[in-house]
Amino acid sequence: MSPRVLYTDIDGTLVGAGGNLLADSDGEPTDVAVEALLRAQAADLEIVGLSGRARLRMFELARLVGMRSWICELGGIRIYERGDETVLDTGAYDGTTPLTEALAEALATLVEHFDTLEEHDPWNEGREVSVMVRGDCAVSEAEQLLAERGFGWAGVTDNGVLPRSVPTLPDVERVRIYHVAPRGLSKRNGIVADQRHRGLDPNDCAVVGDAA
């Protein structure tokens, strides 16, 4: 196997603690990611970023490390040739109001119902196909609530533990991050859509990340 394209997760994989390219998961200095990127460039291996981050929050990182294409917001947005082409996927959403408005209503519903949740401020700024909340709740209960309130098109994805405490959630010992997005959006589906869009053979691709 000699892949042409390598999809890489960003936080927890390409970058370490605090989103630092020059730090490992414990915050210690390292240049291992930079060395890997240089080896990939020398081997003509295309690196495609894969992230839950918003589109604008990926632009500067992509420019810094030399990515031409990347996938953000859990697979809902695909960027090609440094922004020359953008593809948005709205998954199962078929409403008449703009998706951003519907997501804001879904977020408000969750925060009002669960006193252990709050908006993941300021990281929702600029998001187009998903929003984030932080705190602690059962994903199944959150999705059931959304379905009962008319947001059956929305799914909730647990994105792991936030590596810091949050003063506004004093009763939550381990604060988790949750993405709320239309059903059908996922990093996996974003990869599959990218392969189809560019006519890539899956056998010519590889992926590295910190989650299944």
Side-chain angles (χ1 to χ4, degrees), residues 28-101:
E28 296 298 321
T30 179
D31 61 359
V32 66
V34 175
E35 292 179 356
L37 290 167
L38 290 173
R39 292 200 305 272
Q41 186 178 49
D44 198 28
L45 174 64
E46 181 184 359
I47 301 295
V48 176
L50 189 63
S51 179
R53 296 184 185 192
R55 183 205 313 216
L56 293 179
R57 295 190 184 277
M58 276 293 295
F59 260 106
E60 187 61 20
L61 174 65
R63 185 191 67 80
L64 185 66
V65 301
M67 292 179 191
R68 299 196 309 272
S69 302
W70 58 92
I71 301 170
C72 46
E73 287 206 48
L74 292 185
I77 301 178
R78 289 177 281 125
I79 306 294
Y80 297 100
E81 295 304 323
R82 300 180 176 89
D84 286 349
E85 180 183 3
T86 300
V87 179
L88 271 71
D89 184 355
T90 56
Y93 182 67
D94 58 359
T96 56
T97 61
L99 177 54
T100 52
E101 293 182 15

Side-chain angles (χ1 to χ4, degrees), residues 115-119 134 164-172 175:
D115 58 9
T116 55
L117 289 180
E118 66 179 11
E119 181 177 359
R134 64 189 176 212
R164 61 179 173 86
S165 61
V166 178
T168 50
L169 295 170
D171 297 327
V172 181
V175 176

